Amino acid sequence: MSKLGQAKRIIFLKTADGQLFEVDEPVAMEFEIVKSFFDENEDAADDTVVPLPNVSAEPLAGIIEFCKAHVEFRANGAAGKDEVKKFNAEYIKEKSNEQLKELILAANYLNIKEMLDFLTETIANRLKNKSVEYVRAFFGIENDFTPQEEEAVRKEYEWAFEGVDED
Amino acid sequence: MANPKYKTSGIPLDLIYNILYKLPAKTLLRFRCLSKPFCSLIASPDFIKLHFSHYISSRLNFIVKDLSLYSSELNSFDNIIQLNDLREETKVFGSCKSFLALSDPHLDISLFNPLNGILFELPFPREDFHGDCVSRVAFLGFGYDHVNDHYKVVRIVRFRFEHGDGSWFTDYEVKIEEDMEFLFQVVYTGYFLVVPIWVQPYNPDFEKDDVLELVVLMGRLCLVSMYDEGILDVWMMKEYRVKESWFKLISIDRSNTTNSFSFLNPLPCSEWRGDEFILEVGEEHVLYNLKRESVKTEKSFFQAEGEKQEEEQEESKEQKRKKR
């Protein structure tokens, strides 16, 4: 913060697809990668643009939305309250599997712990009643079992295959 | 973390791990079919330990009711799941790491692995070595010995004889190998007698106690005692095996809390978080708040499960309480 204390510092972020984002400092500092960029470059000018070569504009916009809300929750002392749960539920409701994957990859690259915890939890919830085939497709896992081998593994805990959602 | 044998596209393996840790055991057993590397990953002791610390110990309580074993979220009564049907009236007398320790009316002991639903009976001898006693009370404890890296089942047996009033304390040790695949098998390697070490009268009040219970709370050994007058004390051994470190953690006057129970006991929790833990009060389970020294009875286990009949019973108990 400058000596005058009036100007809210803005951090400039540039995505892989060339979009420029202007983000309030406290929100940008949620991203460990941005924080360490400025820790390592203390003399960086205020208009320094931080390149984010592994993140594209769409997930970054989603991440900024999430972090902005959570920074505010913390400032208002609302962390852990129903308000936050409501926001999180609403945030994730309309997201497709593809969008979730893009978000978690971006959050992982930017290294945002709180959001990663939230996203892994969300994905776990989405997958927990899903079939093996669904999850293979979700993560792109290559099945190296022969049908006989797979059947044998399946037989060991057949009850674990009950109550699985339709794909 | 790029490990070619897993052959996943896109999502790095460490992220997939972090997602798997947050899945229930049943899902993980199903996901062994994903591929060979995932199958061995999910069965590996390291994964199981991490899954336990991420998922089970931070989330679940275990409660036995009406011949079924249930789990609920830690220190709350949310998300109740029925795990196993039990043959006989069984009690969860301890839990730690990946196991629950159960005992039936014959004091036969089983270990239950919530990850795969396997119930494993320990070949523990029925205690029958003082044939001429007229009464005995036996109590069981289950814990993990960090120093020697093994699990212990402790049994205290108290005998009373017709002539005079003698008492014995006997404990057993059960050793289970550490480096096995916990998820899919429990290998039992034998038990042996050990000399009583720490279960000694540590306090003059101890002699008066007619009920004893061993539990592990917050990673420390606790002893629950109850007097005829209806006072329940929970003693904690602050430093393992240091006799002088016993101190009274809580003391509850039963008449101040509820009148509808005959037995009160802290439920062995895998972890005790915050100031609240679950007490078994007769047939009910309630939340006890250490700081406020209060028992929260407004919500109990089976109300949360939403069983109507049970709810009605709870209501009538509530009404009785209010009338007092």
Side-chain angles (χ1 to χ4, degrees):
Chain A
M1 195 68 71
S2 72
K3 212 166 34 176
L4 296 170
Q6 84 286 33
K8 239 193 333 188
R9 188 176 173 195
I10 299 289
I11 306 287
F12 298 94
L13 305 174
K14 194 173 181 186
T15 61
D17 44 354
Q19 280 208 40
L20 193 67
F21 281 79
E22 296 178 13
V23 188
D24 288 344
E25 186 184 16
V27 176
M29 290 306 155
E30 291 286 290
F31 310 168
E32 200 52 49
I33 198 171
V34 174
K35 192 170 174 292
S36 42
F37 178 90
F38 283 101
D39 287 347
E40 282 160 25
N41 304 289
E42 280 181 4
D43 305 330
D46 276 359
D47 56 355
T48 304
V49 175
V50 184
L52 301 173
N54 288 332
V55 183
S56 52
E58 196 196 317
L60 185 63
I63 283 173
I64 290 169
E65 180 196 351
F66 182 90
C67 291
K68 193 165 181 272
H70 279 258
V71 165
E72 278 167 25
F73 287 139
R74 252 175 282 146
N76 303 334
K81 298 221 171 102
D82 287 349
E83 205 182 320
V84 183
K85 284 184 192 160
K86 210 174 138 193
F87 171 86
N88 287 351
E90 202 58 40
Y91 178 81
I92 222 68
K93 214 168 83 185
E94 301 295 321
K95 300 270 189 294
S96 69
N97 282 349
E98 283 313 309
Q99 283 173 316
L100 268 187
K101 280 192 263 183
E102 279 185 15
L103 280 175
I104 198 168
L105 284 172
N108 189 43
Y109 169 73
L110 298 170
N111 198 357
I112 314 165
K113 196 184 172 299
E114 188 181 7
M115 190 163 186
L116 273 174
D117 283 347
F118 168 68
L119 288 171
T120 47
E121 188 82 44
T122 304
I123 294 175
N125 275 330
R126 236 178 229 204
L127 297 183
K128 76 177 172 194
N129 292 323
K130 296 290 192 231
S131 71
V132 170
E133 293 72 21
Y134 185 98
V135 176
R136 271 190 204 130
F138 186 93
F139 289 125
I141 294 169
E142 190 180 297
N143 179 17
D144 55 355
F145 282 118
T146 65
Q148 292 80 8
E149 284 170 339
E150 190 179 332
E151 188 55 28
V153 177
R154 189 177 283 251
K155 275 258 153 61
E156 284 174 55
Y157 294 99
E158 258 184 325
W159 57 271
F161 293 82
E162 289 161 12
V164 173
D165 294 349
E166 298 266 322
D167 289 350
Chain B
M1 285 303 282
N3 188 336
K5 75 174 177 173
Y6 285 91
K7 294 211 174 89
T8 62
S9 68
I11 305 215
L13 202 55
D14 55 345
L15 282 181
I16 298 184
Y17 280 0
N18 282 324
I19 294 166
L20 295 181
Y21 292 144
K22 292 177 175 168
L23 289 168
K26 183 182 171 186
T27 308
L28 288 177
L29 289 172
R30 189 165 69 245
F31 288 179
R32 294 187 324 141
C33 280
L34 286 172
S35 72
K36 285 177 188 172
F38 277 97
C39 188
S40 33
L41 169 81
I42 293 171
S44 70
D46 284 347
F47 180 86
I48 292 159
K49 271 187 196 165
L50 282 164
H51 178 257
F52 190 83
S53 61
H54 277 74
Y55 188 81
I56 296 192
S57 72
S58 61
R59 292 180 195 221
L60 301 177
N61 282 308
F62 298 94
I63 288 170
V64 172
K65 176 109 179 171
D66 301 333
L67 295 183
S68 289
L69 180 64
Y70 296 87
S71 69
S72 75
E73 278 184 16
L74 190 74
N75 293 351
S76 82
F77 299 110
D78 297 331
N79 280 341
I80 291 166
I81 298 165
Q82 184 174 354
L83 298 171
N84 263 48
D85 287 327
L86 304 161
R87 272 174 308 175
E88 291 185 90
E89 198 179 306
T90 305
K91 190 174 167 248
V92 181
F93 67 87
S95 80
C96 72
K97 301 268 174 165
S98 344
F99 293 106
L100 301 184
L102 312 173
S103 69
D104 67 14
H106 316 294
L107 297 177
D108 284 341
I109 296 165
S110 323
L111 296 186
F112 176 72
N113 186 341
L115 286 178
N116 58 6
I118 286 180
L119 197 64
F120 179 83
E121 273 185 36
L122 293 184
F124 221 55
R126 292 190 180 178
E127 39 71 47
D128 196 28
F129 31 89
H130 292 282
D132 51 346
C133 72
V134 288
S135 71
R136 54 138 180 74
V137 197
F139 302 96
L140 297 163
F142 178 57
Y144 177 73
D145 179 345
H146 294 271
V147 180
N148 299 306
D149 197 24
H150 57 215
Y151 295 83
K152 281 180 176 176
V153 173
V154 180
R155 180 161 64 184
I156 307 173
V157 188
R158 226 182 198 193
F159 296 94
R160 286 209 174 87
F161 289 84
E162 272 182 89
H163 303 292
D165 188 37
S167 64
W168 275 260
F169 295 95
T170 314
D171 69 4
Y172 291 80
E173 191 173 66
V174 173
K175 188 174 182 250
I176 293 169
E177 267 188 19
E178 176 65 8
D179 53 353
M180 59 188 178
E181 297 189 350
F182 280 124
L183 188 60
F184 302 111
Q185 53 182 151
V186 177
V187 182
Y188 172 75
T189 57
Y191 60 90
F192 46 92
L193 270 169
V194 293
V195 199
I197 323 152
W198 42 263
V199 187
Q200 297 285 341
Y202 49 86
N203 182 291
D205 289 342
F206 189 83
E207 297 295 326
K208 292 191 286 183
D209 303 336
D210 59 348
V211 179
L212 285 174
E213 198 76 37
L214 280 176
V215 287
V216 176
L217 295 171
M218 301 189 284
R220 295 201 169 85
L221 188 70
C222 288
L223 214 146
V224 183
S225 61
M226 195 137 74
Y227 310 72
D228 301 331
E229 312 91 75
I231 308 284
L232 173 111
D233 290 342
V234 179
W235 292 80
M236 181 179 272
M237 191 190 243
K238 220 171 178 178
E239 265 177 79
Y240 186 56
R241 292 189 180 189
V242 177
K243 227 163 77 177
E244 293 72 28
S245 71
W246 281 105
F247 74 104
K248 203 186 277 183
L249 182 72
I250 47 172
S251 185
I252 304 167
D253 188 343
R254 288 198 287 165
S255 55
N256 287 346
T257 52
T258 163
N259 64 345
S260 61
F261 67 89
S262 53
F263 190 71
L264 201 144
N265 188 30
L267 200 77
C269 297
S270 29
E271 217 169 88
W272 187 351
R273 211 163 44 180
D275 297 316
E276 289 193 329
F277 61 97
I278 291 182
L279 278 176
E280 193 178 21
V281 182
E283 296 287 294
E284 290 176 63
H285 296 87
V286 297
L287 276 179
Y288 182 81
N289 188 301
L290 192 61
K291 227 175 223 163
R292 291 202 303 269
E293 295 188 354
S294 70
V295 173
K296 227 196 260 178
T297 48
E298 68 264 30
K299 196 183 178 198
S300 79
F301 187 68
F302 281 88
Q303 271 186 309
E305 201 194 24
E307 284 189 15
K308 208 185 163 203
Q309 201 188 345
E310 292 283 349
E311 240 177 59
E312 282 162 9
Q313 282 178 11
E314 295 298 333
E315 269 168 27
S316 68
K317 278 179 195 164
E318 283 293 319
Q319 281 162 5
K320 267 186 224 162
R321 239 171 260 138
K322 279 173 193 158
K323 275 182 198 164
R324 289 181 85 233

